[in-house]
Amino acid sequence: MKKIMRHTTTGQSSLAAIARRPLRLHTLTVLCLLLALSGCSTTRHLPEGETLYTGIRRMEIEHRDKSSNGNKTLEEVEAALSIAPNNALFGSASLRTPFPFGLWIYNGFQHYEKGVGKWIFNKLAADPVLLSTVNPDTRVKVATNLLRDYGYFNGRVSHRIDSTRNPRAVKLSYHIDMGTPYYIDTLTYERFSPLADSLLHDSAFFSQRLVRRGQHFDVTVLNSEKERVIRRLRDNGYYYARTDFLTLLADTLMHPGHVVLKMVPRANLPAEALRTYRIGRTDIYLTGYNGEAPTDSVKRRDFVVHYSGERPGLRYSVLRNRFLYRTGEPYSETRQGYSQEALARLGVFKFSEFQYIPRSADSDTLDVRVNSMFDLPYDSELELNVTTKSTKQTGPGAIFTLSRKNFQRMGATLNLEVKGSYEWQTSSTVDGEKSVMNSYELGTALSLEFPRIILPWVKRKVDPFRFPSRTNFKIYIDQLNRARYFRMLSFGGTVSYSFQRSRSWKHTVTPLNLTFNHLQRRTATFDSIATANPNLFRSLDDQFIPSVSYTFTYDNSWRKERTRLWWEHSFTSAGNATSLLYAAFGQGLGKKDKKLLGTPFAQFLKMTSEARWLYHLSDKQQLAARLMGGVIWSYGNKTIAPYSEQFYVGGANSIRAFTVRSIGPGSFHPAEGSKFSYVDETGDIKLEANLEYRFRLMSGFLGGNLNGAVFLDAGNVWLLRDDPARPGAKFTFRRFFDSLATGTGIGLRYDLSFLILRLDWGVAIHVPYDTGKSGYYNIPRFKDGTGLHFAIGYPF
């Protein structure tokens, strides 16, 4: 108690005057304040007739159903009953911390109307959780209704008020009798019009029904089935169809323990709900980003664009191809949604509002009006960071991006990116000098991104717009300088296409990715390193990297299910198409040192695969896992992979107990003080695994949520070939598990919904190299095996 109060009172600006008084008076004041609070009751100033709620004493469960449906039902019921009391531990309804500090402040300072006391009350007091606010009678009714919603029609919930030592404080006990569950017998669709009936009994639609014989009765599944039926009707012209137009009739007497269900239209529906509609004329009203109202229009058939100025702010064809319907087609909610998404993906509008207007009271035609307002044409972003590396180099960096939206009225985005960073040595001396600057990087990139597939032979935009599709053209140039080693110039360009055939699957094809690395300058120090380790020099030598790649990504997070899976697999081929071209002109495939524009080109195959799994234990707890692996095989023209393509581990998004490139390959570890330790710790094979438990610490903390995490990381990189300069670096199954670096740790995440700030403290458990210490835990000193990382976003 004393420790808490000292922490609270120290440093408060409102008590600064007390702090400036003589020490004896200051100490006396603090002691008096502590004494006053220690004698505070948690119920002294409760409103008259009120009782303090102090949590749940017990929750008894009878006739528990251990099936998955039963567990889900019980979780919902317990959530309805579980209200956290004051000073709850991690939001628990039954566990409390022994110091109700907020209640002490509430009772001790409740009578202050102004001054320091009022300020302390406003900042530190916690309103008491009253029994009348918890309202157990109402919660019992809610919990009982939840049991019935999930098919436990004879289930019951009751409560008991338990007294405590304090006559004005109570606990609650609940008794939950789940009873026996009811199951679905049949579900039929009846009393629909002939057209609607044929739509609902179509074999493909009927086979995908969500409610089947033998399932637990579950009102949430029934509601989902009603929504599915309405989507079917709205996709076939029934514009005014709504879920509240459907009624479910249930019979529990025909087959005991089972429910016979009928889905029927509600009686006395309005005439428009029973009619199908077709699409008529479409009018788009384009408002300028300064509010300029349309003054002119361009019309082609039944599609009209209204605009201000001399010409439309967006090309007519770009707009028309965003709409996935034609005049005369039945109204479709799905096509409407796809059209809205395609229009939004242009990235040029602040908003787009769709309105469907019947031509007359008895007409079956809907005219479409779209109101869109242009967004500002330019956008910019500045990213600042500070890098700290295992080579004791640190320094700031910045990336500035300027975007021109709706470039040439094509809906494309032109991006200019400029980046720069510099680092200096933070060790005591570098070649006899203190804190010399020895590295910088400058670069720029220009890219043009279209929200559609751009191919010369594709004249008609063949329905690529239901789901996101993009074409990206990019050129870049980078200058890297390591003052005591080398200076390298890299430039190149890429053409890539990404598209989705469904919401879950994304495909990215990069038919052209050309990079040129030119080693402009080498120092004597670098030459000495290259002599000791020739493979290092070959990986940094002048070379072209012409490659093609294909990546597919699976992501089911849009379903909002409890279990979410993200999986990405990528395959890259470099130099092989070029080598085949050379073979066609008489240079054999086995010939080495083939050159492109006078420079050797790299030749390799690279494959990576990464899976991320997230399981929601509850609204406040998640279990996350990640598994990543990769391999690169260099052959033919270059048997050493380019340094930029090699794998490494460590860092804020990898094995968090270690810094970037500080582990591997294999059991190799450069001697302390080695000049090339930083560039050596890369490999041809990578395997990495992470497990993380995430939990809520505090809700509404400074406008966001404060979350905690406990994690376990493992992984390493290896070589495919022997390297005499790096003994133990080659991959072998015999020492596989011993060569995995492992670490654990804890972290904090401050979640502002739009931004997540992360702080992770990693603690090493095992390193794959010899440290002179036996046993699995082979970290010589605890402080040498820790890593602190500050980052944006989750690690995976």
Side-chain angles (χ1 to χ4, degrees):
M1 180 63 187
K2 289 182 179 180
K3 181 178 180 181
I4 294 176
M5 288 311 304
R6 285 172 182 164
H7 175 72
T8 305
T9 56
T10 300
Q12 300 292 346
S13 59
S14 301
L15 300 179
I18 295 176
R20 287 193 295 266
R21 294 177 186 176
L23 180 61
R24 187 175 300 172
L25 180 60
H26 179 212
T27 305
L28 182 61
T29 302
V30 173
L31 288 175
C32 289
L33 186 60
L34 290 174
L35 266 174
L37 279 179
S38 64
C40 278
S41 166
T42 57
T43 58
R44 177 180 300 172
H45 293 290
L46 291 181
E48 186 176 353
E50 294 286 0
T51 306
L52 182 69
Y53 164 77
T54 59
I56 295 177
R57 174 161 288 168
R58 62 174 60 89
M59 197 174 290
E60 300 171 348
I61 302 169
E62 189 177 351
H63 299 121
R64 179 168 186 166
D65 180 4
K66 296 183 179 180
S67 67
S68 59
N69 186 75
N71 292 332
K72 181 178 72 171
T73 303
L74 189 59
E75 184 177 321
E76 294 280 349
V77 170
E78 290 178 340
L81 300 175
S82 299
I83 301 300
N86 292 98
N87 58 291
L89 185 62
F90 300 135
S92 171
S94 55
L95 300 176
R96 305 171 67 202
T97 62
F99 304 107
F101 183 69
L103 282 179
W104 285 340
I105 296 293
Y106 177 88
N107 284 277
F109 291 83
Q110 190 263 351
H111 59 283
Y112 285 96
E113 297 182 356
K114 58 183 179 179
V116 176
K118 184 64 174 177
W119 182 87
I120 292 176
F121 179 83
N122 290 336
K123 295 295 183 181
L124 302 177
D127 291 336
V129 180
L130 304 176
L131 183 64
S132 61
T133 304
V134 174
N135 199 347
D137 291 326
T138 300
R139 295 194 177 278
V140 163
K141 293 178 182 178
V142 171
T144 302
N145 288 335
L146 282 171
L147 286 176
R148 293 171 182 171
D149 285 346
Y150 287 102
Y152 299 87
F153 298 135
N154 51 9
R156 295 290 182 271
V157 181
S158 60
H159 80 281
R160 183 181 71 245
I161 298 176
D162 298 330
S163 59
T164 64
R165 293 181 180 180
N166 188 332
R168 298 195 64 187
V170 298
K171 287 184 176 292
L172 292 175
S173 292
Y174 291 98
H175 181 267
I176 303 170
D177 183 355
M178 296 188 71
T180 54
Y182 276 68
Y183 298 89
I184 299 294
D185 183 84
T186 56
L187 170 65
T188 56
Y189 312 111
E190 299 184 7
R191 306 179 192 174
F192 288 90
S193 68
L195 175 60
D197 188 74
S198 65
L199 292 172
L200 300 183
H201 285 91
D202 175 77
S203 58
F205 176 80
F206 193 75
S207 64
Q208 296 174 358
R209 63 192 185 278
L210 304 178
V211 181
R212 299 176 183 272
R213 182 189 297 270
Q215 288 180 338
H216 280 81
F217 180 91
D218 187 336
V219 71
T220 61
V221 176
L222 293 176
N223 288 336
S224 297
E225 179 66 13
K226 288 173 67 175
E227 293 172 357
R228 192 178 77 97
V229 168
I230 291 299
R231 280 198 304 272
R232 176 68 169 175
L233 296 177
R234 285 176 60 82
D235 279 346
N236 289 272
Y238 289 90
Y239 173 72
Y240 287 102
R242 302 290 185 271
T243 54
D244 55 355
F245 290 175
L246 300 177
T247 298
L248 281 168
L249 305 178
D251 186 342
T252 59
L253 300 178
M254 186 178 298
H255 300 290
H258 293 76
V259 185
V260 178
L261 293 166
K262 294 180 181 180
M263 186 178 294
V264 300
R266 185 166 56 83
N268 302 319
L269 288 176
E272 56 266 22
L274 304 175
R275 180 188 301 163
T276 60
Y277 290 84
R278 295 185 177 275
I279 297 297
R281 165 172 156 162
T282 299
D283 288 84
I284 303 178
Y285 291 82
L286 303 177
T287 302
Y289 63 85
N290 287 322
E292 300 90 347
T295 57
D296 204 348
S297 64
V298 55
K299 178 181 178 181
R300 297 183 185 175
R301 297 182 181 177
D302 289 319
F303 196 88
V304 186
V305 178
H306 303 262
Y307 61 92
S308 61
E310 298 180 356
R311 57 183 181 176
L314 201 62
R315 295 187 183 186
Y316 181 92
S317 60
V318 174
L319 268 174
R320 185 65 188 94
N321 288 314
R322 300 288 114 183
F323 291 80
L324 304 182
Y325 61 78
R326 293 295 179 266
T327 299
E329 292 180 348
Y331 166 81
S332 169
E333 181 182 47
T334 298
R335 285 199 296 270
Q336 170 194 325
Y338 286 149
S339 298
Q340 287 179 292
E341 290 178 13
L343 203 60
R345 285 197 300 270
L346 286 172
V348 302
F349 297 119
K350 287 182 179 178
F351 64 85
S352 292
E353 176 191 22
F354 279 61
Q355 297 176 351
Y356 291 84
I357 307 168
R359 286 188 175 175
S360 63
D362 57 351
S363 173
D364 66 348
T365 300
L366 294 172
D367 289 329
V368 185
R369 177 186 173 116
V370 181
N371 299 312
S372 297
M373 184 174 184
F374 280 103
D375 201 354
L376 295 173
Y378 289 95
D379 195 10
S380 62
E381 181 180 346
L382 177 63
E383 179 182 337
L384 301 174
N385 60 76
V386 176
T387 303
T388 301
K389 298 181 178 179
S390 59
T391 48
K392 299 180 180 179
Q393 288 179 322
T394 187
I399 301 175
F400 176 72
T401 304
L402 179 65
S403 300
R404 174 61 167 93
K405 293 179 284 188
N406 197 20
F407 181 71
Q408 295 295 308
R409 302 188 303 118
M410 297 185 297
T413 302
L414 183 67
N415 300 301
L416 174 64
E417 179 184 280
V418 180
K419 64 179 180 180
S421 64
Y422 69 89
E423 304 166 3
W424 61 85
Q425 194 83 13
T426 58
S427 58
S428 57
T429 60
V430 179
D431 293 343
E433 301 181 23
K434 292 185 177 181
S435 189
V436 297
M437 177 176 167
N438 62 5
S439 180
Y440 68 82
E441 182 177 2
L442 297 172
T444 185
L446 186 67
S447 64
L448 183 61
E449 185 174 82
F450 293 85
R452 57 188 180 275
I453 300 297
I454 303 293
L455 289 170
W457 58 86
V458 177
K459 303 300 182 183
R460 169 74 175 93
K461 284 68 179 177
V462 187
D463 190 34
F465 304 122
R466 284 191 175 183
F467 301 101
S469 57
R470 297 196 177 276
T471 302
N472 187 281
F473 302 95
K474 179 180 179 180
I475 56 174
Y476 64 91
I477 183 169
D478 288 309
Q479 175 78 71
L480 175 64
N481 181 74
R482 296 195 179 280
R484 297 186 300 116
Y485 298 103
F486 62 86
R487 184 170 67 240
M488 176 180 287
L489 180 69
S490 299
F491 60 87
T494 63
V495 178
S496 63
Y497 301 93
S498 65
F499 58 91
Q500 292 184 230
R501 304 306 300 173
S502 69
R503 289 194 183 275
S504 297
W505 289 95
K506 177 182 177 181
H507 306 266
T508 301
V509 179
T510 305
L512 175 63
N513 186 352
L514 185 61
T515 300
F516 175 66
N517 294 331
H518 173 50
L519 200 60
Q520 296 173 296
R521 184 180 63 86
R522 295 159 42 182
T523 67
T525 303
F526 180 82
D527 288 337
S528 67
I529 295 173
T531 301
N533 188 354
N535 288 340
L536 169 63
F537 174 73
R538 295 192 190 102
S539 69
L540 291 168
D541 197 9
D542 290 0
Q543 57 188 311
F544 271 108
I545 310 176
S547 65
V548 297
S549 66
Y550 166 67
T551 301
F552 65 82
T553 307
Y554 173 80
D555 185 357
N556 71 351
S557 60
W558 62 273
R559 296 178 181 171
K560 306 300 182 183
E561 296 178 349
R562 173 171 289 190
T563 302
R564 299 180 185 179
L565 176 64
W566 180 93
W567 176 41
E568 184 172 274
H569 189 85
S570 180
F571 178 80
T572 302
S573 171
N576 296 296
T578 309
S579 185
L580 288 173
L581 184 64
Y582 272 71
F585 285 93
Q587 297 192 31
L589 292 175
K591 182 181 177 181
K592 295 187 177 182
D593 297 327
K594 295 188 289 289
K595 296 184 178 181
L596 178 64
L597 300 179
T599 302
F601 59 85
Q603 193 171 358
F604 61 81
L605 295 175
K606 184 178 182 180
M607 185 174 65
T608 62
S609 188
E610 180 178 357
R612 301 176 184 178
W613 176 77
L614 180 66
Y615 180 71
H616 287 263
L617 299 168
S618 68
D619 290 340
K620 299 180 180 180
Q621 300 179 83
Q622 300 88 38
L623 191 63
R626 170 178 173 266
L627 183 64
M628 189 271 175
V631 60
I632 182 169
W633 171 253
S634 299
Y635 59 96
N637 208 43
K638 284 273 190 177
T639 57
I640 303 297
Y643 183 73
S644 58
E645 296 289 338
Q646 295 178 10
F647 298 108
Y648 60 88
V649 295
N653 299 321
S654 180
I655 309 175
R656 285 159 279 185
F658 307 98
T659 54
V660 177
R661 293 183 176 90
S662 61
I663 291 295
S667 61
F668 171 77
H669 188 66
E672 188 172 350
S674 169
K675 295 179 179 180
F676 50 93
S677 61
Y678 175 78
V679 292
D680 255 6
E681 298 186 80
T682 58
D684 305 318
I685 303 174
K686 177 179 179 177
L687 186 63
E688 194 171 273
N690 311 84
L691 183 65
E692 183 168 288
Y693 170 60
R694 301 166 181 170
F695 51 90
R696 179 71 49 79
L697 288 175
M698 194 178 302
S699 299
F701 179 74
L702 299 178
N705 292 326
L706 184 64
N707 302 321
V710 178
F711 54 83
L712 179 67
D713 304 324
N716 203 348
V717 293
W718 296 266
L719 299 182
L720 282 170
R721 298 180 173 94
D722 281 318
D723 184 354
R726 292 180 285 183
K730 185 180 178 181
F731 179 84
T732 61
F733 284 103
R734 183 174 58 87
R735 299 193 68 248
F736 171 72
F737 289 103
D738 195 51
S739 64
L740 288 175
T742 57
T744 186
I746 57 176
L748 292 174
R749 289 95 171 87
Y750 181 40
D751 188 350
L752 290 169
S753 71
F754 64 91
L755 179 69
I756 297 173
L757 303 178
R758 173 166 57 96
L759 182 66
D760 284 333
W761 180 48
V763 179
I765 298 176
H766 175 77
V767 291
Y769 52 87
D770 183 18
T771 63
K773 187 175 181 179
S774 60
Y776 189 78
Y777 180 77
N778 60 351
I779 311 301
R781 295 183 302 177
F782 178 81
K783 69 176 184 178
D784 294 335
T786 62
L788 193 64
H789 305 278
F790 177 74
I792 305 295
Y794 286 109
F796 52 87

